[in-house]
Amino acid sequence: MTSKIKTNLLLSFAAMVGLVIGYLNPVASQALLSALGMMVGIGMFFLFRISNKKAGFDYTESWVYLLLRMLLFFVIGAALGGMVPYYQMIMETQQK
């Protein structure tokens, strides 16, 4: 199994976990999304800043980069999963 396949499996797993958590508890996941999104953004900022200062530093091989991408995929999955119950509730109220 190549490292690209392993990385894609980890990212898919993070997105699926976010999707399930967002669907099961949309209120809590929506409350966490902004904080997690800010952490990912700040982490990426510092990671890219370090990579710009060090000429030979490849940030894509870093475990921090993989962790930040997994958090980003978790946020995306939780946002999508959290929208499903709200969408169902809107559709129910429109049918009444």
Side-chain angles (χ1 to χ4, degrees):
M1 196 180 282
T2 64
S3 66
K4 186 174 181 178
I5 292 173
K6 289 179 187 177
T7 302
N8 288 337
L9 285 174
L10 281 173
L11 294 176
S12 301
F13 176 72
M16 288 300 138
V17 169
L19 190 71
V20 168
I21 289 175
Y23 181 74
L24 294 178
N25 198 353
V27 176
S29 68
Q30 295 293 326
L32 288 174
L33 291 181
S34 60
L36 283 176
M38 286 178 15
M39 285 180 4
V40 169
I42 291 170
M44 286 287 196
F45 171 75
F46 284 120
L47 186 64
F48 292 150
R49 197 165 166 187
I50 290 170
S51 71
N52 286 339
K53 288 183 180 179
K54 296 180 182 177
F57 182 71
D58 185 18
Y59 64 89
T60 60
E61 299 296 324
S62 173
W63 64 270
V64 177
Y65 179 67
L66 178 62
L67 180 66
L68 289 172
R69 283 187 66 197
M70 285 181 68
L71 278 173
L72 182 64
F73 274 68
F74 175 82
V75 166
I76 293 168
L80 292 175
M83 283 187 339
V84 172
Y86 293 130
Y87 180 74
Q88 290 173 344
M89 185 173 49
I90 289 170
M91 294 307 285
E92 287 175 4
T93 56
Q94 285 182 350
Q95 290 178 358
K96 288 182 182 179

PDB file of all heavy atoms in Angstrom, residues 35-49 68:
ATOM      1  N   ALA A  35     -14.177  26.801  15.894  1.00  0.00           N
ATOM      2  CA  ALA A  35     -12.927  26.690  16.650  1.00  0.00           C
ATOM      3  C   ALA A  35     -11.942  25.768  15.931  1.00  0.00           C
ATOM      4  O   ALA A  35     -10.750  26.091  15.815  1.00  0.00           O
ATOM      5  CB  ALA A  35     -13.205  26.169  18.055  1.00  0.00           C
ATOM      6  N   LEU A  36     -12.419  24.639  15.439  1.00  0.00           N
ATOM      7  CA  LEU A  36     -11.537  23.731  14.707  1.00  0.00           C
ATOM      8  C   LEU A  36     -11.047  24.347  13.405  1.00  0.00           C
ATOM      9  O   LEU A  36      -9.886  24.190  13.034  1.00  0.00           O
ATOM     10  CB  LEU A  36     -12.266  22.420  14.408  1.00  0.00           C
ATOM     11  CG  LEU A  36     -12.406  21.441  15.560  1.00  0.00           C
ATOM     12  CD1 LEU A  36     -13.241  20.249  15.128  1.00  0.00           C
ATOM     13  CD2 LEU A  36     -11.071  20.994  16.056  1.00  0.00           C
ATOM     14  N   GLY A  37     -11.917  25.067  12.716  1.00  0.00           N
ATOM     15  CA  GLY A  37     -11.519  25.726  11.483  1.00  0.00           C
ATOM     16  C   GLY A  37     -10.445  26.781  11.729  1.00  0.00           C
ATOM     17  O   GLY A  37      -9.496  26.907  10.945  1.00  0.00           O
ATOM     18  N   MET A  38     -10.580  27.524  12.815  1.00  0.00           N
ATOM     19  CA  MET A  38      -9.554  28.521  13.144  1.00  0.00           C
ATOM     20  C   MET A  38      -8.234  27.851  13.505  1.00  0.00           C
ATOM     21  O   MET A  38      -7.164  28.326  13.105  1.00  0.00           O
ATOM     22  CB  MET A  38     -10.037  29.415  14.283  1.00  0.00           C
ATOM     23  CG  MET A  38     -11.081  30.389  13.828  1.00  0.00           C
ATOM     24  SD  MET A  38     -11.802  31.506  15.060  1.00  0.00           S
ATOM     25  CE  MET A  38     -10.785  31.450  16.461  1.00  0.00           C
ATOM     26  N   MET A  39      -8.293  26.741  14.236  1.00  0.00           N
ATOM     27  CA  MET A  39      -7.060  26.031  14.587  1.00  0.00           C
ATOM     28  C   MET A  39      -6.363  25.514  13.336  1.00  0.00           C
ATOM     29  O   MET A  39      -5.138  25.618  13.216  1.00  0.00           O
ATOM     30  CB  MET A  39      -7.364  24.869  15.538  1.00  0.00           C
ATOM     31  CG  MET A  39      -7.666  25.305  16.933  1.00  0.00           C
ATOM     32  SD  MET A  39      -8.034  24.026  18.155  1.00  0.00           S
ATOM     33  CE  MET A  39      -7.817  22.499  17.364  1.00  0.00           C
ATOM     34  N   VAL A  40      -7.119  24.970  12.403  1.00  0.00           N
ATOM     35  CA  VAL A  40      -6.537  24.466  11.166  1.00  0.00           C
ATOM     36  C   VAL A  40      -5.926  25.610  10.364  1.00  0.00           C
ATOM     37  O   VAL A  40      -4.814  25.500   9.844  1.00  0.00           O
ATOM     38  CB  VAL A  40      -7.588  23.707  10.327  1.00  0.00           C
ATOM     39  CG1 VAL A  40      -7.071  23.415   8.939  1.00  0.00           C
ATOM     40  CG2 VAL A  40      -7.984  22.421  11.007  1.00  0.00           C
ATOM     41  N   GLY A  41      -6.627  26.715  10.277  1.00  0.00           N
ATOM     42  CA  GLY A  41      -6.113  27.857   9.531  1.00  0.00           C
ATOM     43  C   GLY A  41      -4.832  28.422  10.125  1.00  0.00           C
ATOM     44  O   GLY A  41      -3.864  28.704   9.401  1.00  0.00           O
ATOM     45  N   ILE A  42      -4.796  28.568  11.430  1.00  0.00           N
ATOM     46  CA  ILE A  42      -3.589  29.078  12.098  1.00  0.00           C
ATOM     47  C   ILE A  42      -2.454  28.074  11.962  1.00  0.00           C
ATOM     48  O   ILE A  42      -1.306  28.455  11.721  1.00  0.00           O
ATOM     49  CB  ILE A  42      -3.897  29.410  13.570  1.00  0.00           C
ATOM     50  CG1 ILE A  42      -4.831  30.620  13.630  1.00  0.00           C
ATOM     51  CG2 ILE A  42      -2.625  29.681  14.352  1.00  0.00           C
ATOM     52  CD1 ILE A  42      -5.388  30.899  15.004  1.00  0.00           C
ATOM     53  N   GLY A  43      -2.772  26.786  12.099  1.00  0.00           N
ATOM     54  CA  GLY A  43      -1.741  25.759  11.947  1.00  0.00           C
ATOM     55  C   GLY A  43      -1.150  25.744  10.547  1.00  0.00           C
ATOM     56  O   GLY A  43       0.066  25.625  10.365  1.00  0.00           O
ATOM     57  N   MET A  44      -1.997  25.852   9.538  1.00  0.00           N
ATOM     58  CA  MET A  44      -1.509  25.903   8.156  1.00  0.00           C
ATOM     59  C   MET A  44      -0.666  27.147   7.921  1.00  0.00           C
ATOM     60  O   MET A  44       0.352  27.097   7.236  1.00  0.00           O
ATOM     61  CB  MET A  44      -2.684  25.890   7.166  1.00  0.00           C
ATOM     62  CG  MET A  44      -3.340  24.565   7.037  1.00  0.00           C
ATOM     63  SD  MET A  44      -2.308  23.420   6.134  1.00  0.00           S
ATOM     64  CE  MET A  44      -3.492  22.184   5.729  1.00  0.00           C
ATOM     65  N   PHE A  45      -1.085  28.268   8.494  1.00  0.00           N
ATOM     66  CA  PHE A  45      -0.322  29.505   8.350  1.00  0.00           C
ATOM     67  C   PHE A  45       1.092  29.325   8.881  1.00  0.00           C
ATOM     68  O   PHE A  45       2.078  29.667   8.216  1.00  0.00           O
ATOM     69  CB  PHE A  45      -1.035  30.641   9.077  1.00  0.00           C
ATOM     70  CG  PHE A  45      -0.236  31.902   9.160  1.00  0.00           C
ATOM     71  CD1 PHE A  45      -0.087  32.715   8.054  1.00  0.00           C
ATOM     72  CD2 PHE A  45       0.376  32.268  10.346  1.00  0.00           C
ATOM     73  CE1 PHE A  45       0.652  33.888   8.125  1.00  0.00           C
ATOM     74  CE2 PHE A  45       1.114  33.425  10.437  1.00  0.00           C
ATOM     75  CZ  PHE A  45       1.253  34.241   9.321  1.00  0.00           C
ATOM     76  N   PHE A  46       1.215  28.782  10.098  1.00  0.00           N
ATOM     77  CA  PHE A  46       2.548  28.596  10.677  1.00  0.00           C
ATOM     78  C   PHE A  46       3.356  27.543   9.928  1.00  0.00           C
ATOM     79  O   PHE A  46       4.562  27.688   9.762  1.00  0.00           O
ATOM     80  CB  PHE A  46       2.449  28.251  12.166  1.00  0.00           C
ATOM     81  CG  PHE A  46       2.132  29.438  13.021  1.00  0.00           C
ATOM     82  CD1 PHE A  46       0.994  29.452  13.795  1.00  0.00           C
ATOM     83  CD2 PHE A  46       2.964  30.537  13.042  1.00  0.00           C
ATOM     84  CE1 PHE A  46       0.691  30.545  14.586  1.00  0.00           C
ATOM     85  CE2 PHE A  46       2.683  31.642  13.820  1.00  0.00           C
ATOM     86  CZ  PHE A  46       1.527  31.642  14.597  1.00  0.00           C
ATOM     87  N   LEU A  47       2.696  26.486   9.472  1.00  0.00           N
ATOM     88  CA  LEU A  47       3.399  25.447   8.725  1.00  0.00           C
ATOM     89  C   LEU A  47       3.945  25.990   7.403  1.00  0.00           C
ATOM     90  O   LEU A  47       5.100  25.737   7.053  1.00  0.00           O
ATOM     91  CB  LEU A  47       2.473  24.259   8.470  1.00  0.00           C
ATOM     92  CG  LEU A  47       3.097  23.031   7.817  1.00  0.00           C
ATOM     93  CD1 LEU A  47       4.148  22.424   8.746  1.00  0.00           C
ATOM     94  CD2 LEU A  47       2.044  22.021   7.483  1.00  0.00           C
ATOM     95  N   PHE A  48       3.135  26.735   6.690  1.00  0.00           N
ATOM     96  CA  PHE A  48       3.607  27.328   5.434  1.00  0.00           C
ATOM     97  C   PHE A  48       4.683  28.378   5.679  1.00  0.00           C
ATOM     98  O   PHE A  48       5.607  28.533   4.886  1.00  0.00           O
ATOM     99  CB  PHE A  48       2.457  27.930   4.644  1.00  0.00           C
ATOM    100  CG  PHE A  48       1.494  26.915   4.116  1.00  0.00           C
ATOM    101  CD1 PHE A  48       0.168  27.236   3.934  1.00  0.00           C
ATOM    102  CD2 PHE A  48       1.898  25.625   3.800  1.00  0.00           C
ATOM    103  CE1 PHE A  48      -0.730  26.308   3.446  1.00  0.00           C
ATOM    104  CE2 PHE A  48       1.013  24.690   3.315  1.00  0.00           C
ATOM    105  CZ  PHE A  48      -0.307  25.035   3.135  1.00  0.00           C
ATOM    106  N   ARG A  49       4.564  29.091   6.769  1.00  0.00           N
ATOM    107  CA  ARG A  49       5.576  30.104   7.096  1.00  0.00           C
ATOM    108  C   ARG A  49       6.922  29.448   7.399  1.00  0.00           C
ATOM    109  O   ARG A  49       7.962  29.934   6.961  1.00  0.00           O
ATOM    110  CB  ARG A  49       5.082  30.911   8.288  1.00  0.00           C
ATOM    111  CG  ARG A  49       5.802  32.177   8.460  1.00  0.00           C
ATOM    112  CD  ARG A  49       5.086  33.082   9.371  1.00  0.00           C
ATOM    113  NE  ARG A  49       6.061  34.104   9.706  1.00  0.00           N
ATOM    114  CZ  ARG A  49       5.898  35.013  10.574  1.00  0.00           C
ATOM    115  NH1 ARG A  49       4.776  35.082  11.236  1.00  0.00           N
ATOM    116  NH2 ARG A  49       6.831  35.889  10.828  1.00  0.00           N
ATOM    117  N   LEU A  68      -3.355  18.295  10.230  1.00  0.00           N
ATOM    118  CA  LEU A  68      -4.157  19.462   9.888  1.00  0.00           C
ATOM    119  C   LEU A  68      -5.141  19.159   8.758  1.00  0.00           C
ATOM    120  O   LEU A  68      -6.291  19.605   8.790  1.00  0.00           O
ATOM    121  CB  LEU A  68      -3.248  20.634   9.508  1.00  0.00           C
ATOM    122  CG  LEU A  68      -2.474  21.274  10.648  1.00  0.00           C
ATOM    123  CD1 LEU A  68      -1.476  22.285  10.114  1.00  0.00           C
ATOM    124  CD2 LEU A  68      -3.419  21.907  11.650  1.00  0.00           C
TER     125      LEU A  68
END
